[in-house]
Amino acid sequence: MATTGGQLGGTVSLVTGASSGIGEAAAFDLARLGSAVALVARRADRLEALAERIRQQGGTALVVEADVSDQQQAEDAVARTVAELGRLDVLVNNAGVMLVGPVLDADAEEWRRMVQVNVLGLLYCARAALPHLLRAAEDEPRRVADLVNISSVAGRETRSGSAVYNATKHGVGAFANALRQEVTTRHVRVSLVEPGAVDTELVGHNRPEILEVFRARFGQMERLAADDIASAVSYIVTRPRHVAINEILVRPTEQV
Ligand SMILES: NC(=O)c1ccc[n+]([C@@H]2O[C@H](COP(=O)([O-])OP(=O)(O)OC[C@H]3O[C@@H](n4cnc5c(N)ncnc54)[C@H](OP(=O)(O)O)[C@@H]3O)[C@@H](O)[C@H]2O)c1
């Protein structure tokens, strides 16, 4: 059940991609604020370790192993969260992959993975969560609910070599902005967080020649920590009911 203390006491959050990086940090911070958190990703061992850390801090965590690019699994993850934790007040749509490189001779399988996770996975989770968020928005303790979407600087700008990742993150922005207009008068706040370079596992899934490009571009730069983005998420969801933070763009200071 939702815990009672803290700024988010009595609420339940679901974070996708909670097994590493930004999702892991965001889930931990939401739990610190008193929200009971459902941790969703494919690597259950990583989720279990995070759940243990949260419980040691006195928080409540539910491990939900799921591939969000599978519609049924995404829907089941939301349903299980509501069944076991009682409600849903905050969805952090964070799971994502970034597999970049020139369009010419690109591996279409990498494109499919990005579209399936970054776009379809995010849509499936949003769709499954919305009825519950609308219900939470009519209810105490907050009478407002949040759907936070993790996009990217790549969702505002385009760059040679990132065409398909750009397409997925621009898609996230378009979806969030349109959905916001559908539900904001019912007090479901739909927001976008757009990080610049964050020190996580994300880049590591690319081919060796791409990793070399990243090393050359970001090697010397002090990147953001996952906690820096978790703070942005927590800021959004702890605003008073009448304040909707629609968009936050966060770059490392040295990122041009
Ligand atoms: N790092 C950056 O510089 C940066 C910048 C801008 C935006 N972002 C965005 O931030 C988000 C989080 O990325 P990150 O940087 O924290 O990278 P990360 O450490 O690689 O985390 C990605 C998370 O997504 C999960 N995931 C991937 N495919 C999934 C699937 N099919 N089903 C469920 N979960 C899945 C992974 O878990 P499993 O593998 O266990 O499933 C992992 O927990 C992404 O949307 C990314 O595009 C990152």
Side-chain angles (χ1 to χ4, degrees):
M1 289 302 293
T3 41
T4 46
Q7 236 178 322
L8 294 178
T11 71
V12 172
S13 303
L14 185 160
V15 181
T16 69
S19 59
S20 64
I22 293 168
E24 179 177 2
F28 190 79
D29 207 48
L30 292 170
R32 179 186 65 79
L33 290 164
S35 198
V37 286
L39 311 173
V40 178
R42 295 166 302 175
R43 287 172 295 175
D45 54 335
R46 300 278 293 257
L47 299 178
E48 291 292 354
L50 173 59
E52 196 42 46
R53 275 174 58 216
I54 288 171
R55 289 176 195 131
Q56 275 167 9
Q57 305 288 318
T60 302
L62 172 71
V63 168
V64 183
E65 181 182 345
D67 178 341
V68 296
S69 70
D70 179 302
Q71 185 175 358
Q72 190 62 55
Q73 290 188 44
E75 289 174 0
D76 289 349
V78 170
R80 219 186 119 200
T81 300
V82 174
E84 298 199 25
L85 298 175
R87 54 188 290 144
L88 185 60
D89 301 81
V90 176
L91 168 64
V92 182
N93 246 334
N94 162 78
V97 285
M98 180 190 68
L99 303 166
V100 294
V103 170
L104 188 66
D105 298 329
D107 179 353
E109 181 51 33
E110 293 189 342
W111 292 357
R112 252 188 301 280
R113 279 178 61 198
M114 284 194 285
V115 171
Q116 283 169 349
V117 181
N118 302 3
V119 182
L120 284 173
L122 178 137
L123 299 183
Y124 297 148
C125 291
R127 179 175 180 272
L130 258 186
H132 304 290
L133 296 175
L134 286 163
R135 201 165 304 131
E138 292 174 355
D139 195 12
E140 300 299 332
R142 296 195 310 155
R143 295 190 304 118
V144 69
D146 287 284
L147 201 175
V148 183
N149 299 285
I150 309 298
S151 176
S152 171
V153 167
R156 288 171 67 109
E157 298 173 358
T158 57
R159 180 175 278 270
S160 161
S162 293
V164 179
Y165 184 64
N166 284 145
T168 65
K169 292 301 190 181
H170 276 70
V172 170
F175 172 71
N177 280 319
L179 176 61
R180 184 188 67 75
Q181 297 166 54
E182 288 187 28
V183 295
T184 196
T185 57
R186 297 176 69 183
H187 288 93
V188 175
R189 302 181 292 205
V190 180
S191 54
L192 266 181
V193 178
E194 296 157 317
V198 188
D199 187 9
T200 68
E201 297 175 11
L202 191 76
V203 170
H205 302 296
N206 284 280
R207 287 172 270 126
E209 63 273 24
I210 304 291
L211 292 178
E212 208 37 64
V213 174
F214 275 102
R215 261 192 290 275
R217 181 162 174 234
F218 294 111
Q220 302 301 315
M221 182 191 296
E222 184 181 0
R223 284 175 292 170
L224 298 168
D227 280 338
D228 297 320
I229 303 304
S231 302
V233 172
S234 292
Y235 177 76
I236 288 170
V237 304
T238 53
R239 291 312 87 203
R241 182 173 184 259
H242 68 287
V243 180
I245 307 295
N246 298 153
E247 199 165 347
I248 297 186
L249 172 62
V250 190
R251 286 189 181 90
T253 304
E254 294 174 20
Q255 183 173 341
V256 179

